């Protein structure tokens, strides 16, 4: 049962698609403090808190402060409070009750979940305006189902998007892209997409292609398609200021860019140099920007990733001017220690400066609204621009779409990648822990940069991360400029990567089927063990996941280990894969096990009464009937598996 309460006058986010009558009276469960703009409740010692989508830290969110304030911060360390997303849905779970809470506000909120006081959960608001949805149900899964029902169906990608993608910031030329494809081919590792990062563009101008480095682009796209590879270009939020660049000229003329108080367009700087930001919150501007995707669709492109849409700002012209003026003041003065630090802060906080988000306005639903009040729905609306455009422009085709910044509601238009992680073992664990929270919030087509984006990867980290990545819908190896190259063919373990990616291919019928069932029935794709098993041990397992109805995963995420401890809440069948057709199996009783997993092995646990369908890798990406599959069963018959398949291409009504 869902009840909707309202505090103040919330700015709508369009995240909830069902109409609800407002419940009157006090908000149950919570203490409301208008002076402090807070809602709080007491947690029982045993209560667990799950959700919040893409954040740092573990699966149970207790013991930290999370701030919903979409941020471009490439240091995803434990001390942070915000990443790129605001997904304000969580479930409080205990033996006696389950309560789902969705706090719908586009502004900044802070969730203190047992940080200040171990047993108090406090939500504080910058503006005390929000719709609060309280969801009661029999189980966490029931609550999630109800929640997902009111926010609308998750984005459905084309089936080919379940393939394997290689990315790098950046492949600079068409020749470099061809080389990647060639090397993968030589190594026998299947590759389905190559991502184009910002350098494919002409001077970082959205929807342009650099003629010199990517000549005859449509033909190139077609040539790669014939090899089975989709090129997936990046789109950035900022539009380069350059007269004669049609998108800039049109945006200026039609007034589609965000404006300052004095009605001038905001001038910020990102990769293209000076940019204006489209006002994605304005219906007309959103439609206009969305239509621009056609420029690349017409050249054969069928997938995109939207970046820098928090929005990331290197500097604004106005703030930079202020900084330079202040520096003038410092000049010639003898800097005492206080002023030295003030000076250092001044210069160090030019990018993504909070004050800059208060300098510009949106024309949103007929009102002029300052950006910081709607900050968290900016990236969402950029991706919505694309998603709505695809429905108009290519109604018969699914388009791959995922975004860096997100808010609930965006899950209807695309997935997310988890931003600029690092080549750290701890970030492999973070990836594992983010997946179920993303599932709760409807972001099913998601994944992290495999191998790590920042820092130099190591061969063993890339192996272990790929061994987990073969299970995430978005399966992409990506890394930053200046870091060690991490394409799989560069390592002695190329033959192992080959078997891993082939195993992924073999798993696609299962992954796709489970994905589609999750999308169509509002189920979670990745679940913590305790969402299905109610023993106390399961409640504390944060490094194993259930994936779909049939399997449990226990990835290895520590360096220099050839195995790990695995907890089984019930008897299961362990499949130790070395290749899709080379594995051994073993029945394991419930309880604790230390299990060997060498660098070339992937452990999959089949639940009792369940079935894992597999395809021959060469066929995995195609539309396959039930009788074309192999099955690994544990006390079940192949027939008992509910298999979903379709053409993988036609959008669902
Ligand atoms: O400021 O386009 O998260 O995936 O490679 C960095 C370059 C901008 C951030 C994205 C990353 C991408 C990079 N971008």
């Amino acid at each position: 049962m869902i009840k909707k309460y309202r505090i103040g006058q919330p700015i709508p986010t369009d995240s909830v698609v069902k109409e609800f009558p407002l419940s009157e009276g006090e908000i149950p469960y919570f203490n409301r403090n208008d002076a402090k703009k807070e809602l709080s409740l007491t947690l029982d010692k045993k209560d667990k808190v799950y959700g919040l989508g893409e954040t740092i830290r573990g699966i149970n969110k207790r013991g930290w402060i999370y701030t919903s304030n979409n941020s471009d911060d490439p240091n995803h360390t434990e001390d942070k409070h915000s990443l790129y997303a605001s997904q304000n849905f969580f479930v409080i779970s205990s033996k006696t009750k389950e309560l789902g809470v969705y706090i719908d506000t586009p502004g900044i909120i802070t969730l203190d979940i047992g940080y200040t006081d171990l047993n108090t959960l406090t939500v504080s608001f910058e503006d005390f305006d929000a719709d609060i949805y309280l969801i009661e149900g029999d189980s966490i899964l029931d609550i999630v189902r109800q929640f997902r029902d009111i926010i609308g169906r998750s984005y459905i990608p084309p089936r080919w998007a379940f393939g394997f993608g290689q990315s790098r910031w950046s492949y600079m030329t068409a020749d470099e892209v061809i080389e990647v494809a060639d090397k993968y081919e030589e190594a026998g590792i299947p590759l389905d997409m190559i991502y184009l990062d910002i350098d494919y563009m002409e001077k970082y101008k959205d929807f342009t292609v650099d003629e010199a480095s990517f000549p005859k682009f449509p033909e190139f796209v077609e040539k790669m398609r014939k090899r089975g590879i989709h090129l997936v270009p990046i789109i950035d939020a900022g539009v380069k200021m350059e007269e004669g660049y049609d998108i800039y000229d049109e945006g200026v003329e039609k007034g589609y860019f965000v404006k300052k108080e004095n009605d001038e367009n905001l001038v910020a700087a990102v990769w293209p140099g000076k940019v204006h930001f489209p006002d994605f919150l304005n219906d007309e501007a959103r439609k206009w920007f969305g239509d621009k995707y056609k420029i690349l669709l017409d050249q054969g492109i069928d997938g995109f990733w939207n970046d820098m849409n928090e929005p990331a700002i290197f500097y604004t012209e106005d703030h930079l001017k202020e900084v330079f003026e202040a520096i003038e003041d410092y000049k010639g003065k003898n800097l005492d220690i206080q002023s030295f630090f003030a000076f250092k802060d001044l210069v160090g906080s030019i990018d993504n400066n909070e004050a800059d988000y208060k300098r510009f306005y949106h024309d949103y639903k007929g009102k002029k609204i300052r950006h910081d009040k709607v900050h968290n729905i900016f990236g969402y609306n950029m991706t919505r621009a694309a998603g709505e455009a695809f429905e108009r422009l290519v109604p018969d085709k699914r388009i791959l779409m995922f975004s860096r910044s997100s808010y609930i509601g965006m899950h209807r238009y695309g997935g997310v990648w988890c931003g600029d992680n690092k080549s750290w073992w701890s970030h492999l664990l973070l990836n594992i822990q983010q997946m179920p929270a993303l599932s709760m919030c409807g972001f099913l087509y998601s994944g992290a940069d495999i191998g790590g984006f920042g820092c130099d990867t190591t061969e063993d980290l890339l192996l272990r991360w790929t061994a987990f990545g073969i299970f995430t819908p978005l399966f992409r190896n990506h890394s930053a400029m200046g870091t060690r190259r991490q394409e799989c063919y560069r390592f002695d373990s190329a033959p192992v990567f080959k078997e891993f990616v082939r195993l992924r291919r073999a798993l696609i019928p299962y992954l796709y089927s489970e994905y589609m069932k999750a999308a169509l029935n509002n189920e979670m794709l990745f679940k913590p063990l305790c969402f299905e098993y109610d023993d106390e041990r399961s409640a504390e397992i944060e490094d194993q996941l259930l994936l779909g109805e049939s399997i449990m995963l226990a990835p290895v995420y520590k360096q220099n280990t050839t195995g790990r401890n695995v907890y089984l809440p019930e008897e299961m069948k362990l499949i130790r894969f070395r290749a899709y057709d080379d594995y051994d199996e073993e029945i394991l009783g419930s309880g604790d096990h230390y299990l060997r997993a060498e660098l070339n092995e992937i452990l999959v646990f089949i639940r009792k009464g369940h079935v894992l369908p597999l395809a021959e890798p060469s066929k995995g990406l195609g539309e396959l009937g039930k009788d074309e599959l192999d099955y690994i069963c544990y006390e079940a018959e192949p027939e008992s598996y509910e298999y979903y398949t379709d053409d993988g291409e036609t959008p669902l009504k």
Side-chain angles (χ1 to χ4, degrees):
M1 210 210 14
I2 306 185
K3 284 198 160 185
K4 174 181 180 181
Y5 295 85
R6 177 161 289 176
I7 298 170
Q9 293 181 308
I11 299 169
T13 65
D14 299 346
S15 59
V16 172
V17 293
K18 295 223 159 135
E19 295 283 335
F20 274 89
L22 284 179
S23 295
E24 299 297 329
E26 290 189 359
I27 303 174
Y29 299 101
F30 286 96
N31 294 313
R32 171 172 174 166
N33 185 327
D34 282 86
K36 288 177 143 173
K37 300 187 204 164
E38 278 179 10
L39 292 176
S40 62
L41 56 74
T42 304
L43 295 168
D44 287 342
K45 212 172 139 212
K46 288 212 159 172
D47 283 352
K48 305 215 162 35
V49 180
Y50 300 106
L52 299 183
E54 180 194 281
T55 54
I56 45 123
R57 297 205 167 219
I59 290 178
N60 179 355
K61 306 315 292 184
R62 268 184 95 146
W64 193 239
I65 295 185
Y66 301 87
T67 302
S68 291
N69 181 15
N70 294 357
S71 308
D72 166 27
D73 181 344
N75 296 305
H76 307 172
T77 44
E78 270 185 53
D79 57 327
K80 294 301 166 70
H81 302 284
S82 309
L83 294 179
Y84 313 84
S86 294
Q87 302 178 22
N88 303 331
F89 170 63
F90 57 92
V91 175
I92 303 168
S93 162
S94 69
K95 276 241 172 305
T96 50
K97 64 159 199 295
E98 320 277 354
L99 174 68
V101 182
Y102 176 46
I103 299 177
D104 190 14
T105 168
I108 292 156
I109 64 168
T110 292
L111 298 107
D112 177 336
I113 309 180
Y115 170 79
T116 304
D117 178 294
L118 271 185
N119 298 319
T120 307
L121 182 155
T122 304
V123 188
S124 10
F125 298 73
E126 279 201 6
D127 294 301
F128 214 26
D129 302 293
D131 281 335
I132 313 284
Y133 296 83
L134 297 181
I135 310 172
E136 289 173 355
D138 304 333
S139 65
I140 307 180
L141 292 176
D142 176 37
I143 288 172
V144 171
R145 225 174 277 127
Q146 293 183 56
F147 173 62
R148 295 265 301 283
D149 181 53
I150 68 168
I151 59 172
R153 191 175 72 203
S154 293
Y155 161 75
I156 293 176
R159 186 176 171 115
W160 61 260
F162 285 79
F164 174 52
Q166 180 62 55
S167 185
R168 174 79 180 177
W169 174 23
S170 301
Y171 297 124
M172 304 298 287
T173 60
D175 285 344
E176 231 187 290
V177 170
I178 292 169
E179 188 189 318
V180 172
D182 288 348
K183 290 275 167 64
Y184 266 103
E185 204 173 292
E186 280 162 32
I189 306 171
L191 185 68
D192 306 288
M193 39 293 217
I194 295 180
Y195 287 82
L196 301 181
D197 208 320
I198 47 177
D199 296 282
Y200 78 87
M201 292 183 249
E202 187 209 326
K203 293 191 272 179
Y204 306 124
K205 286 185 286 187
D206 278 340
F207 309 108
T208 68
V209 177
D210 191 289
E211 284 265 329
S213 39
F214 288 87
K216 297 196 186 139
F217 192 63
E219 277 108 281
F220 178 55
V221 174
E222 177 57 19
K223 198 171 120 196
M224 296 307 288
R225 274 296 292 121
K226 289 218 171 96
R227 299 181 66 172
I229 293 173
H230 299 253
L231 296 181
V232 185
I234 196 170
I235 305 293
D236 276 12
V239 169
K240 185 175 177 64
M241 291 172 63
E242 185 185 278
E243 273 172 39
Y245 168 37
D246 50 355
I247 300 182
Y248 168 77
D249 290 341
E250 278 171 36
V252 169
E253 188 199 308
K254 299 197 166 126
Y256 288 157
F257 294 123
V258 296
K259 295 187 179 50
K260 299 191 290 184
E261 177 89 84
N262 65 6
D263 260 0
E264 284 171 14
N265 293 329
L266 177 84
V267 179
V270 203
W271 292 111
K274 289 189 181 162
V275 301
H276 289 330
F277 290 117
D279 189 355
F280 300 117
L281 275 66
N282 171 305
D283 293 344
E284 266 181 49
R286 190 166 66 244
K287 178 167 185 297
W288 165 76
F289 191 84
D291 282 339
K292 299 299 172 198
Y293 285 81
K294 185 167 191 296
I295 297 169
L296 289 165
L297 291 171
D298 285 349
Q299 300 181 59
I301 293 297
D302 46 13
F304 301 89
W305 45 312
N306 282 347
D307 190 22
M308 305 301 268
N309 49 3
E310 293 69 33
I313 296 179
F314 293 167
Y315 66 82
T316 61
E317 201 172 56
D318 291 316
H319 183 59
L320 200 65
K321 210 183 280 164
E322 291 160 9
V323 171
F324 282 137
E325 278 161 18
I327 290 176
E328 274 307 311
D329 286 348
Y330 282 110
K331 254 191 200 167
K333 271 190 210 157
N334 185 12
L335 279 191
D336 61 38
I337 296 306
Q338 290 304 328
S339 0
F340 164 72
F341 281 111
F343 171 74
K344 210 174 143 212
D345 279 354
L346 178 76
V347 177
S349 65
I350 294 177
D351 56 331
N352 300 324
N353 189 288
E354 286 299 314
D356 279 332
Y357 294 121
K358 298 184 178 164
R359 281 179 204 273
F360 60 99
Y361 294 79
H362 296 275
D363 175 3
Y364 186 43
K365 297 187 189 286
K367 287 195 183 125
K368 181 173 170 180
I369 299 181
R370 204 173 71 191
H371 175 79
D372 60 312
K373 310 281 178 199
V374 286
H375 176 69
N376 292 333
I377 59 171
F378 185 78
Y380 155 24
N381 278 283
M382 177 186 182
T383 298
R384 181 178 176 184
E388 289 172 343
F390 300 154
E391 286 167 25
R392 291 192 300 274
L393 301 171
V394 275
D396 300 328
K397 206 169 158 185
R398 299 184 205 165
I399 302 294
L400 169 60
M401 175 83 249
F402 57 92
S403 166
R404 192 169 72 177
S405 181
S406 64
Y407 184 89
I408 287 169
M410 200 201 85
H411 71 289
R412 299 192 296 269
Y413 305 101
V416 295
W417 90 97
C418 299
D420 298 344
N421 60 6
K422 296 217 189 318
S423 298
W424 293 345
W425 291 85
S426 60
H427 279 181
L428 166 52
L429 177 60
L430 180 65
N431 183 191
I432 296 166
Q433 293 174 329
Q434 284 171 328
M435 295 313 292
L438 285 164
S439 269
M440 285 176 77
C441 297
F443 291 86
L444 300 182
Y445 191 81
S446 300
D449 289 348
I450 288 162
F453 174 75
C455 306
D456 295 332
T457 202
T458 60
E459 188 164 348
D460 53 350
L461 177 61
L462 188 61
L463 281 165
R464 292 302 197 193
W465 211 323
T466 306
F468 174 63
I470 67 163
F471 299 100
T472 61
L474 168 59
F475 176 34
R476 178 178 82 143
N477 175 322
H478 179 46
S479 57
M481 188 168 277
T483 62
R484 179 182 188 178
R485 295 262 165 181
Q486 62 186 43
E487 293 82 7
C488 299
Y489 55 75
R490 294 182 187 270
F491 300 92
D492 287 347
S493 305
V496 180
F497 286 113
K498 171 179 167 183
E499 294 311 332
F500 284 4
V501 179
R502 278 164 54 81
L503 176 58
R504 159 66 169 221
R505 282 284 179 107
L507 286 164
I508 288 177
Y510 176 71
L511 293 176
Y512 186 74
S513 173
E514 291 304 310
Y515 185 100
M516 293 302 291
K517 290 188 303 190
L520 299 175
N521 308 326
N522 300 318
E523 301 289 345
M524 288 174 66
L525 187 59
F526 286 96
K527 283 168 277 192
L529 266 47
C530 60
F531 285 24
E532 298 244 358
Y533 299 97
D534 59 9
D535 59 292
E536 289 198 2
R537 282 292 306 285
S538 288
E540 297 191 355
I541 300 290
E542 297 230 344
D543 58 359
Q544 299 174 207
L545 298 173
L546 300 168
L547 167 55
E549 62 168 61
S550 303
I551 63 176
M552 181 183 83
L553 307 174
V556 177
Y557 56 91
K558 288 184 183 158
Q559 191 160 29
N560 299 322
T561 52
T562 46
R564 55 161 288 174
N565 287 307
V566 179
Y567 171 74
L568 267 63
E570 64 173 338
E571 203 176 271
M572 292 186 187
K573 184 191 259 187
L574 162 66
I575 311 295
R576 182 180 284 109
F577 281 107
R578 283 169 294 273
Y580 104 97
D581 54 357
D582 173 15
Y583 56 84
D584 43 54
E585 40 180 274
E586 187 183 344
I587 307 294
L588 297 171
S590 64
D592 292 293
H593 300 266
Y594 181 82
L595 297 172
R596 183 177 49 75
E598 303 282 349
L599 281 174
N600 66 335
E601 293 176 326
I602 297 180
L603 308 182
V604 173
F605 302 80
I606 308 209
R607 298 170 70 189
K608 211 181 207 165
H610 286 278
V611 175
L612 177 64
L614 287 174
E616 215 178 281
S618 59
K619 296 186 184 155
L621 264 182
E623 184 186 349
L624 290 177
K626 244 187 147 171
D627 50 356
E628 295 169 85
L629 302 173
D630 295 327
Y631 298 90
I632 306 179
C633 305
Y634 182 32
E635 293 191 3
E637 296 301 321
E639 297 78 62
S640 68
Y641 179 67
E642 191 201 323
Y643 178 56
Y644 177 98
T645 192
D646 60 18
D647 69 7
E649 190 65 56
T650 312
L652 275 80
K653 289 294 155 238

